[in-house]
């Protein structure tokens, strides 16, 4: 009996220690904050907030109906995993963002879903993650060697910082804190501003939108919040902030920023609503048939591009973090193979200067050098 009692006491002590450690970890500032007060009251009035959480427009299982969590975990742990990372370190050159002529319509990809744009003179940064990892723990989900070309110091004064949703690979605590002093305005989905205000951002510079809402930015610019098919959360409670796509309208250009999304009928509706886009930036990577409702499978981004009536597309959400079990270069290989209609799909290297209106430029298959 004494031995059994000692074992029980040991189990209780270990359990209590684990609970205490989890409590300390989850209460670190980088986990952000759940909406409260006036923001929560506004959220509760949203037609997209139901039963205590945001929801997609159409039924969206986290996992596909023909799979289960044990099956997913088994395949992830023991399934085939070839070339999750490049064969060698990336050796790419970064564009000096601060030296760019302000009148250039230019796009610079920073790996995964982080990118800088100048559009009709407006300086925009989307979902910057420069900390070297896409996780609450620095020893996991590390950036591929050489992919972290940019730091907050490289970023010029920003007219607009866009955060599409609050997942760790899109909203990075360290990065946005370092960018705070050089950001004039932030646009994000309803609820995400709770994190930003908790981290010290002035609420006066944050434009927080629900799906189908928009805001004027001045000087002929506006931003429109549109749906995406995904989810949110960076702690124990998910779907407390909205995931979104955005349309940025300028005097001469209209751009669609897709964020993270599985395929659904919202692309066709958005295309009909706006008529056409000069550029669409759509996710391409970190997919799996097990979670096919929340990320594009290969070719679905091309279908979305066509339904958006986009003249050009830049595929992102690849080449920096391994968040799925496909090879790191597969998304770029597949989108190139599936572009049988020779649509204008631009595939730049990280750090490359892209003048997206230059349709004569040919982009090499840069990933082949790292396979």
């Amino acid at each position: 009996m004494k031995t059994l009692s000692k074992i029980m006491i040991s189990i209780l002590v270990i359990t209590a220690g684990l609970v205490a450690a989890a409590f300390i970890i989850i209460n670190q500032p980088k986990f952000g904050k759940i909406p409260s007060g006036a923001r929560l009251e506004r959220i509760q009035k949203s037609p997209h907030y139901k039963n205590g959480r945001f929801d997609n427009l159409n039924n969206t299982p986290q996992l596909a109906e023909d799979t289960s969590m044990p099956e997913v975990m088994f395949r992830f742990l023991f399934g085939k995993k070839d070339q999750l990372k490049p064969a060698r370190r990336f050796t790419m050159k970064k564009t000096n963002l601060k030296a760019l002529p302000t009148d250039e319509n230019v796009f610079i990809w920073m790996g995964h879903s982080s990118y800088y744009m100048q559009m009709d003179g407006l300086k925009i940064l989307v979902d910057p993650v420069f900390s070297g990892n896409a996780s609450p723990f620095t020893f996991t989900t590390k950036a591929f060697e050489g992919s972290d070309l940019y730091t907050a110091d490289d970023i010029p004064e920003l007219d607009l910082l866009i955060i599409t949703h609050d997942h760790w690979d899109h909203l990075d605590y360290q990065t946005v804190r370092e960018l705070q002093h050089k950001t004039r305005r932030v646009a994000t989905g309803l609820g995400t501003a709770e994190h930003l205000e908790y981290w010290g951002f002035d609420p006066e510079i944050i434009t927080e939108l629900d799906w189908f809402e928009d805001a004027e930015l001045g000087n002929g610019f506006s931003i429109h919040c549109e749906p995406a098919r995904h989810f949110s959360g960076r702690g124990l409670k998910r779907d407390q902030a909205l995931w979104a796509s955005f349309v940025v309208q300028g005097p001469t250009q209209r751009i669609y920023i897709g964020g993270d999304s599985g395929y659904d009928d919202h692309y066709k509706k958005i295309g009909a609503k706006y008529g056409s886009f000069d550029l669409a930036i759509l996710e391409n990577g970190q997919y799996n048939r097990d979670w096919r409702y929340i990320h594009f499978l290969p070719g679905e981004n091309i279908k979305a591009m066509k339904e958006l009536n986009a003249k050009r597309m830049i595929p992102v959400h690849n080449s920096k973090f391994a968040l799925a079990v496909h090879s790191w270069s597969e998304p770029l290989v597949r989108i190139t193979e599936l572009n049988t209609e020779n649509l204008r799909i631009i595939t730049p290297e990280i750090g490359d200067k892209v003048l997206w209106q230059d349709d004569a430029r040919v982009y090499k298959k840069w990933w082949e050098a790292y396979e």
Side-chain angles (χ1 to χ4, degrees):
M1 287 294 292
K2 288 184 178 180
T3 302
L4 182 60
S5 296
K6 288 180 179 180
I7 292 173
M8 292 299 295
I9 291 170
S10 298
I11 291 172
L12 289 172
V13 169
I14 292 170
T15 302
L18 290 173
V19 170
F23 179 81
I24 292 170
I25 290 170
I26 203 73
N27 280 282
Q28 293 180 81
K30 61 185 174 182
F31 281 86
K33 190 178 179 185
I34 298 294
S36 60
R39 176 170 290 109
L40 179 58
E41 291 178 11
R42 181 186 170 194
I43 286 172
Q44 290 170 336
K45 295 175 183 177
S46 168
H48 312 117
Y49 188 82
K50 304 168 186 175
N51 301 316
R53 57 185 284 268
F54 282 105
D55 201 1
N56 287 289
L57 295 178
N58 293 320
N59 181 44
T60 304
Q62 187 75 17
L63 293 176
E65 300 91 337
D66 55 357
T67 191
S68 66
M69 183 56 72
E71 290 177 300
V72 172
M73 292 304 298
F74 182 85
R75 283 194 288 269
F76 184 80
L77 293 172
F78 304 109
K80 186 179 180 182
K81 300 178 191 176
D82 291 335
Q83 290 189 294
L84 291 185
K85 298 181 180 181
R88 62 185 182 90
R89 180 186 180 89
F90 287 161
T91 54
M92 300 164 180
K93 296 179 180 179
K94 66 181 181 182
T95 298
N96 183 347
L97 307 181
K98 295 178 180 179
L100 291 170
T102 56
D103 60 349
E104 281 189 338
N105 287 331
V106 62
F107 174 100
I108 290 90
W109 183 40
M110 299 166 174
H112 201 63
S113 290
S114 303
Y115 45 91
Y116 173 84
M117 292 187 294
Q118 289 181 182
M119 170 188 169
D120 292 336
L122 195 75
K123 297 178 180 179
I124 306 168
L125 184 65
V126 178
D127 290 354
V129 178
F130 304 151
S131 65
N133 66 285
S135 160
F137 309 108
T138 57
F139 55 87
T140 65
T141 323
K142 290 188 176 182
F144 300 158
E145 290 188 17
S147 66
D148 244 348
L149 284 184
Y150 288 91
T151 69
D153 290 339
D154 296 315
I155 307 300
E157 295 289 323
L158 294 170
D159 297 305
L160 183 63
L161 171 64
I162 295 175
I163 304 295
T164 63
H165 62 296
D166 70 359
H167 281 158
W168 296 87
D169 57 323
H170 293 259
L171 175 57
D172 183 64
Y173 169 71
Q174 176 183 320
T175 302
V176 296
R177 288 271 292 169
E178 292 173 351
L179 291 169
Q180 183 178 342
H181 69 284
K182 58 174 69 176
T183 301
R184 297 193 181 103
R185 190 163 188 169
V186 182
T188 192
L190 184 57
T192 302
E194 189 79 27
H195 301 308
L196 298 172
E197 288 185 31
Y198 177 50
W199 296 338
F201 277 74
D202 182 352
E204 293 297 317
I205 73 166
I206 302 174
T207 298
E208 193 174 11
L209 300 172
D210 199 352
W211 291 338
F212 311 118
E213 292 182 343
D214 56 72
E216 295 297 320
L217 301 176
N219 299 317
F221 293 94
S222 59
I223 187 164
H224 308 255
C225 184
E226 295 292 344
R229 192 181 195 189
H230 199 55
F231 68 109
S232 68
R234 55 195 294 117
L236 297 178
K237 196 172 183 180
R238 53 170 284 185
D239 301 338
Q240 299 305 296
L242 197 64
W243 49 98
S245 62
F246 292 93
V247 174
V248 182
Q249 176 70 62
T252 72
Q253 298 287 296
R254 182 186 297 124
I255 293 179
Y256 179 74
I257 295 169
D260 276 5
S261 179
Y263 178 78
D264 208 348
D265 59 4
H266 61 280
Y267 293 104
K268 191 171 185 178
K269 293 176 180 178
I270 292 170
K273 179 178 179 178
Y274 293 94
S276 66
F277 292 94
D278 297 285
L279 176 65
I281 302 145
L282 299 175
E283 71 153 66
N284 180 52
Q286 320 320 315
Y287 48 75
N288 190 309
R289 294 200 64 83
D290 292 333
W291 54 78
R292 58 182 176 267
Y293 294 112
I294 57 173
H295 285 295
F296 285 138
L297 292 177
E300 289 181 330
N301 40 21
I302 296 176
K303 184 177 182 181
M305 174 192 181
K306 292 163 66 176
E307 291 183 345
L308 288 165
N309 303 312
K311 299 174 185 176
R312 309 165 187 91
M313 187 244 282
I314 299 178
V316 297
H317 209 243
N318 61 78
S319 302
K320 191 169 185 176
F321 304 112
L323 302 176
V325 294
H326 57 66
S327 69
W328 77 271
S329 62
E330 181 182 295
L332 293 167
V333 172
R334 295 287 286 136
I335 198 170
T336 304
E337 291 174 344
L338 293 168
N339 185 20
T340 56
E341 297 179 52
N342 199 30
L343 301 172
R344 183 59 174 167
I345 298 178
I346 300 169
T347 54
E349 296 184 23
I350 295 171
D352 190 10
K353 178 180 176 180
V354 175
L355 302 172
W356 69 77
Q357 292 169 289
D358 179 7
D359 291 327
R361 181 181 171 185
V362 176
Y363 291 85
K364 65 181 181 180
K365 298 179 180 179
W366 62 268
W367 53 91
E368 292 181 346
Y370 298 96
E371 291 182 320

